[in-house]
Amino acid sequence: MNRLKNCGVAVALLLLSGLTLQAQDSTALNQSEKTIKKYKPFDANLQLRSLYIWRGFKVSDAPISDVDLHYKSKDGSFQAGFWGGASLNGNYKEFDYYVSYTKKGFTLSVWDINNFSDFPNANLFNYNNGSTSHFIDAGIAYKFDFKLPLTLSWNTIVAGRDTYVKANGKRANAYSNYVQLDQVLWQDEENSSLHVFVGGGFAFGREKNFYGDHPNIVNSGLTYNKDLILFKYHLPVAATAMFSPEHKTGTLQLVANIF
């Protein structure tokens, strides 16, 4: 009888400890979920680049740092912020504003791009198309939800320094366009992926446009993304090999996302 009592007590203790462990595991899981789902409306990110390429242009030959200070809605669909970059040798300087909205694979964005590297006396509030350092870039993109995603994007410069002089001597907007296809060729579960991309620049009714002297492929190449782990610190990096048939140039860029 005593043995049965002892066995019963032991079983009861085991069940109780099991329930306690389950409760602790459940509490830890709930705390983890709360941590994951915690909403931060404002954030800032820092990147370092070996040089800076953008849509086929080699914007800076020297290494640059860039900062993105932004607000993001709770569902992550709306984002607005400021983006700025500067080269280590001081030759490149940029300060932009942007808004974007993403829903069901579509992304709409508007950027006020202000690269004032070649404007030593740039006025931040000058939007006169004959003298401004700004240009306004509006874009739409759609990400096809394939096993290996494909993204198609179209951007048009709607205002600013993308201009030409008409036969009557008046200055007019060129409305240059940039269209790009980006296809993921390979990806794994460790956040590594390989993309191939190709982008063309053109303006309706004109040969010369913001991206080159002719309608042409201005930006093509490969991008390899990898999550580099250094002493338990995750450092996402991306290496891009870029070729520009229009500019007859090519280069290699490395980007590290510091935080």
Side-chain angles (χ1 to χ4, degrees):
M1 183 65 75
N2 287 335
R3 282 184 183 176
L4 287 172
K5 271 186 182 180
N6 291 337
C7 285
V9 170
V11 170
L13 288 171
L14 283 170
L15 288 171
L16 183 60
S17 64
L19 289 171
T20 303
L21 285 172
Q22 286 180 5
Q24 289 174 345
D25 289 345
S26 177
T27 302
L29 183 60
N30 289 336
Q31 287 175 345
S32 176
E33 285 177 350
K34 284 179 183 177
T35 302
I36 292 171
K37 293 179 180 178
K38 187 176 180 182
Y39 170 53
K40 295 193 302 180
F42 300 98
D43 204 355
N45 306 111
L46 171 66
Q47 289 184 325
L48 297 179
R49 304 175 189 245
S50 59
L51 47 80
Y52 184 29
I53 53 177
W54 180 84
R55 296 184 187 174
F57 290 112
K58 193 185 291 186
V59 183
S60 172
D61 286 321
I64 80 160
S65 63
D66 60 81
V67 177
D68 179 8
L69 172 62
H70 60 267
Y71 162 83
K72 185 178 284 188
S73 63
K74 196 167 187 178
D75 64 357
S77 60
F78 176 78
Q79 185 168 319
F82 305 95
W83 187 95
S87 61
L88 299 187
N89 62 7
N91 291 338
Y92 160 74
K93 302 166 189 173
E94 185 170 333
F95 179 43
D96 307 339
Y97 327 123
Y98 70 90
V99 293
S100 68
Y101 182 76
T102 301
K103 201 72 171 179
K104 296 182 178 180
F106 283 98
T107 297
L108 301 173
S109 64
V110 178
W111 280 71
D112 181 343
I113 299 174
N114 182 30
N115 179 349
F116 54 97
S117 309
D118 298 326
F119 294 79
N121 300 312
N123 179 346
L124 182 65
F125 306 104
N126 174 20
Y127 283 87
N128 185 300
N129 64 8
S131 57
T132 185
S133 55
H134 296 257
F135 61 93
I136 312 300
D137 184 80
I140 183 170
Y142 183 73
K143 185 177 182 179
F144 295 87
D145 191 21
F146 301 149
K147 185 177 180 181
L148 293 175
L150 168 68
T151 303
L152 171 63
S153 60
W154 183 304
N155 291 74
T156 301
I157 300 175
V158 297
R161 58 188 176 98
D162 175 31
T163 63
Y164 69 100
V165 178
K166 297 194 294 186
N168 61 8
K170 292 185 178 180
R171 189 173 293 275
N173 292 327
Y175 297 104
S176 296
N177 303 288
Y178 177 79
V179 179
Q180 177 174 286
L181 278 171
D182 183 300
Q183 173 69 61
V184 178
L185 297 178
W186 168 84
Q187 61 186 6
D188 64 14
E189 296 177 355
E190 298 178 351
N191 296 323
S192 296
S193 63
L194 180 68
H195 297 236
V196 61
F197 60 89
V198 58
F202 63 96
F204 291 114
R206 302 190 69 248
E207 279 284 307
K208 192 170 183 178
N209 59 82
F210 187 81
Y211 302 98
D213 293 330
H214 312 90
N216 202 352
I217 302 298
V218 297
N219 187 31
S220 61
L222 295 166
T223 296
Y224 175 67
N225 298 286
K226 180 179 180 178
D227 192 11
L228 188 63
I229 300 176
L230 299 172
F231 306 105
K232 296 184 179 180
Y233 176 73
H234 289 259
L235 181 68
V237 296
T240 297
M242 184 277 288
F243 307 90
S244 177
E246 171 63 15
H247 303 136
K248 298 178 176 57
T249 58
T251 194
L252 190 64
Q253 172 189 254
L254 181 67
V255 181
N257 294 277
I258 307 303
F259 61 80

